[in-house]
Amino acid sequence: MISDLPITKNPAARYVPWTVGLMMYLASLAAFLFIVGFHFFGSWRHDLRTHITLEIPTYSLFTSTNSSNDLSTLLPKIKDVVEKTPGVIHISILSPSEGQKLLSPWLKDQEILLKNLPLPTLIEIEKNPETFNAPLLETSLKKIFPLIRIINHQTHFSKIFILGMSLEVFLLTLMSAFFCTSLLTLSFATRTSLLIHKNIIDILSLLGASDVIIAKEFQSHARIMAIKGALTAYILLFLTTFLALFLFQGYEMFSFPFFIIHFSWDLFLALLVPVLMGFFMIFSARLSIQRLLKKLDYA
Amino acid sequence: MQKEIIQFDQVSLAFPGDISVFENISFRLLEGTFHFLTGASGSGKSSLLNLIHLSMRPTKGHIRLLGYDVSSVKRSEIPFFRSQISFVFQDFRLLDHLTALENVVLPLRLQGVSFEKCRLQALELLKWVGLERFYESYPSTLSGGQKQRIAIARAVITQPKVLLADEPTGNVDDQTGMKLIYLFEELNKNGTTVLVATHNQLLAQEFSYPQLYLDRHKISLVLPSTLENLNDL
């Protein structure tokens, strides 16, 4: 094997590995963004389906003449009814400070107003959407306290819910197109790289090199390019991750997607994209070189 | 007794569109001989050399090389013939990103010989063509004559039985051209069969070697002593 035949020294192909690396990076990024988007909208949809909120208006407590409507006596009763309702998984009563926190993005500079607002008491219920009986809970709760409101997020955000699904489909389409474009560009870059070397292939053939030797040599060249490209892609992904962590730090609302997706098999696949594309590139080089050799003399 | 090393038997060649290059030509070259292949530009000299180098297929007829009928040779068998039949191109066909030494060793490297093993041999050949000082130079820094001498060193490093040269003096001045032919003469004296294509009749006549003359789709042998035309040998 003429491993020291320095076709990689050919200045015409100097930038090909970097182009390849960029394509691998973009494809990985596309896959990664799709996974993040999918997980983000998925968890959002899941939360909408599995959570409802009970709202006890504070104003109603002040105006009520019934002493039994005092919050300290009302809450245990409500809690008891909720816990006995089929399909309820978890119940959590939000403290006043947690309620204020929900409003804080809209009343940033008005802390005094925020503290003095008669905020309702919120009870968050995690439910099993298959077995949860909403009408039963509503009837039982209305008997205890008629002014209580059940906020079903799924109904409330039905349009946003559809929007989320549409965004998922859009993201999938966009990322698929992006991914395919990256693959096509990679294949094009591999073929272009071979065409740059066509003169060399021609000379090697005229000097008596067999097709097997030429094919092996160029496959090895493609392998080197694939390794260089994959390394470039990983370095760029690493830098992007750090940049994203830096940009999103302190934004709890947009907490960095890593915390949403954790480490899953699809993330692992996204990380494998440069390697898979490297194999695709070597395969593409093999096909291209075989086709090119067939076109050469005496075929 | 000398053996026939190249034999054309009623060979025709036509390009697509029925453009005939030559028709029914026959000739034989014996081992260890030196011939010029002459004729006007476009007479088919390069095509004839390409047929011998298996870069083209004849439209009709049979070609025998080194005792083998190559009319229907497989592509995978071509490297064997090319290791025995070397070619010197008019445009040198050197790899610009390799040094003179790397270019010269290339045919042996393609046969799997390690660089270290063929390095000394290549340096000897560079010395023979007078370019030992330039072994680390890249082709772009060399003159046309120097490039052609590197191409000759590369062509002979495999010790071929036949050396084909297509207008080797086409890109060099007359004096350098003569020096190149002297190199071919030296090779021939060592037993290599040499066939040099040139349109330069004056250059061919400077040397007392027989000429294969291509004209109007036919080939004839012009012997130096008699300058006699022997059509269709």
Side-chain angles (χ1 to χ4, degrees):
Chain A
M1 189 63 205
I2 43 169
S3 53
D4 62 342
L5 175 66
I7 55 171
T8 43
K9 268 167 58 180
N10 191 348
R14 193 186 300 157
Y15 299 108
V16 175
W18 311 123
T19 314
V20 166
L22 192 65
M23 284 302 113
M24 286 176 170
Y25 163 70
L26 291 176
S28 309
L29 203 63
F32 185 72
L33 285 177
F34 170 70
I35 289 165
V36 166
F38 190 77
H39 277 267
F40 184 78
F41 292 119
S43 71
W44 195 42
R45 264 192 304 149
H46 179 262
D47 283 355
L48 286 175
R49 283 187 75 221
T50 58
H51 287 76
I52 59 164
T53 308
L54 300 181
E55 189 186 293
I56 307 163
T58 314
Y59 178 70
S60 63
L61 292 170
F62 286 124
T63 53
S64 174
T65 51
N66 189 349
S67 62
S68 66
N69 280 357
D70 178 60
L71 196 61
S72 56
T73 52
L74 199 59
L75 273 179
K77 284 183 195 169
I78 291 171
K79 203 179 168 191
D80 191 45
V81 168
V82 173
E83 278 170 348
K84 283 177 183 163
T85 309
V88 170
I89 298 167
H90 181 70
I91 174 166
S92 125
I93 301 164
L94 266 66
S95 66
S97 62
E98 282 174 308
Q100 283 170 7
K101 211 174 173 184
L102 290 174
L103 272 181
S104 62
W106 288 274
L107 295 167
K108 261 181 197 168
D109 305 325
Q110 299 170 58
E111 212 174 306
I112 299 165
L113 177 67
L114 189 67
K115 279 182 180 168
N116 292 312
L117 269 177
L119 295 176
T121 302
L122 299 172
I123 301 170
E124 204 175 279
I125 298 170
E126 191 186 345
K127 58 168 184 170
N128 178 349
E130 311 303 325
T131 55
F132 180 69
N133 192 336
L136 176 70
L137 179 69
E138 194 168 7
T139 315
S140 311
L141 287 175
K142 291 278 182 190
K143 278 180 195 165
I144 303 167
F145 186 65
L147 293 172
I148 196 164
R149 278 180 66 208
I150 299 179
I151 304 164
N152 188 343
H153 301 287
Q154 194 171 345
T155 322
H156 203 67
F157 293 104
S158 61
K159 283 184 181 166
I160 300 176
F161 189 80
I162 293 165
L163 176 73
M165 279 184 74
S166 313
L167 277 173
E168 265 183 73
V169 174
F170 175 71
L171 205 63
L172 177 66
T173 315
L174 191 73
M175 293 309 151
S176 303
F178 201 60
F179 193 80
C180 291
T181 310
S182 299
L183 273 184
L184 282 175
T185 313
L186 188 70
S187 167
F188 179 74
T190 312
R191 289 191 65 185
T192 308
S193 146
L194 284 176
L195 287 177
I196 290 169
H197 294 116
K198 191 186 173 299
N199 181 40
I200 298 175
I201 295 170
D202 214 11
I203 292 173
L204 293 181
S205 181
L206 288 171
L207 292 179
S210 68
D211 289 356
V212 176
I213 283 182
I214 296 174
K216 271 187 185 171
E217 188 63 29
F218 279 86
Q219 246 181 274
S220 144
H221 175 59
R223 194 162 46 240
I224 292 165
M225 280 206 298
I227 292 168
K228 275 187 184 174
L231 283 175
T232 309
Y234 281 124
I235 290 168
L236 288 174
L237 278 173
F238 188 71
L239 292 175
T240 309
T241 307
F242 269 86
L243 183 70
L245 278 172
F246 176 74
L247 289 176
F248 286 106
Q249 68 177 352
Y251 286 86
E252 204 183 333
M253 233 177 121
F254 301 101
S255 60
F256 188 68
F258 263 151
F259 303 119
I260 297 169
I261 58 174
H262 304 293
F263 195 83
S264 54
W265 65 269
D266 41 8
L267 175 66
F268 181 66
L269 270 183
L271 287 174
L272 270 184
V273 165
V275 177
L276 295 175
M277 287 183 85
F279 281 114
F280 170 79
M281 191 180 161
I282 295 166
F283 178 70
S284 176
R286 189 187 174 90
L287 279 185
S288 303
I289 191 79
Q290 280 174 348
R291 232 186 286 169
L292 201 67
L293 285 167
K294 270 185 190 169
K295 280 183 193 167
L296 280 183
D297 56 4
Y298 226 73
Chain B
M1 188 184 156
Q2 285 176 307
K3 284 192 286 183
E4 286 158 353
I5 202 156
I6 298 170
Q7 186 181 342
F8 273 47
D9 188 15
Q10 298 294 310
V11 171
S12 298
L13 179 71
F15 288 135
D18 240 9
I19 303 161
S20 172
V21 183
F22 31 74
E23 290 163 8
N24 301 321
I25 63 166
S26 301
F27 69 90
R28 288 172 193 144
L29 295 187
L30 297 177
E31 202 174 13
T33 54
F34 190 124
H35 287 81
F36 280 106
L37 177 61
T38 55
S41 293
S43 58
K45 299 187 295 293
S46 297
S47 298
L48 191 140
L49 292 184
N50 283 331
L51 283 173
I52 300 171
H53 200 234
L54 301 177
S55 300
M56 283 180 173
R57 273 183 198 276
T59 320
K60 219 172 76 180
H62 289 276
I63 300 172
R64 286 181 76 83
L65 299 174
L66 315 166
Y68 299 95
D69 188 342
V70 294
S71 307
S72 56
V73 71
K74 288 178 192 163
R75 191 172 158 74
S76 59
E77 292 165 345
I78 294 175
F80 163 76
F81 290 98
R82 287 191 179 159
S83 68
Q84 306 283 317
I85 303 170
S86 284
F87 206 113
V88 175
F89 306 92
Q90 181 180 1
D91 57 354
F92 326 121
R93 300 273 182 110
L94 298 173
L95 295 181
D96 286 335
H97 59 283
L98 300 187
T99 63
L101 183 69
E102 286 168 338
N103 266 291
V104 174
V105 298
L106 202 51
L108 281 182
R109 299 288 294 113
L110 292 169
Q111 289 177 14
V113 182
S114 74
F115 182 77
E116 285 312 309
K117 276 189 183 169
C118 45
R119 188 174 182 274
L120 275 179
Q121 198 181 339
L123 285 170
E124 281 294 315
L125 283 171
L126 281 172
K127 192 176 174 185
W128 172 63
V129 296
L131 290 173
E132 69 270 33
R133 285 190 300 120
F134 297 92
Y135 74 99
E136 278 189 317
S137 302
Y138 287 92
S140 56
T141 62
L142 302 172
S143 70
Q146 287 171 324
K147 285 180 194 171
Q148 197 58 288
R149 279 186 279 163
I150 289 168
I152 292 169
R154 181 183 66 181
V156 300
I157 196 163
T158 53
Q159 297 173 319
K161 289 185 176 160
V162 179
L163 183 77
L164 308 172
D166 189 9
E167 300 280 2
T169 59
N171 283 333
V172 296
D173 60 71
D174 289 348
Q175 204 184 350
T176 311
M178 293 288 276
K179 284 180 184 169
L180 293 175
I181 303 295
Y182 292 144
L183 286 176
F184 293 136
E185 274 193 311
E186 269 188 66
L187 283 170
N188 178 244
K189 278 172 191 160
N190 289 326
T192 308
T193 308
V194 178
L195 180 58
V196 179
T198 179
H199 68 277
N200 189 342
Q201 278 288 349
L202 290 173
L203 180 83
Q205 281 166 14
E206 285 282 331
F207 297 86
S208 54
Y209 293 113
Q211 293 178 28
L212 290 169
Y213 182 68
L214 270 168
D215 186 36
R216 294 175 197 173
H217 314 304
K218 298 287 175 194
I219 195 163
S220 50
L221 181 70
V222 183
L223 294 171
S225 53
T226 59
L227 291 175
E228 181 186 353
N229 266 7
L230 297 174
N231 285 315
D232 294 341
L233 281 173

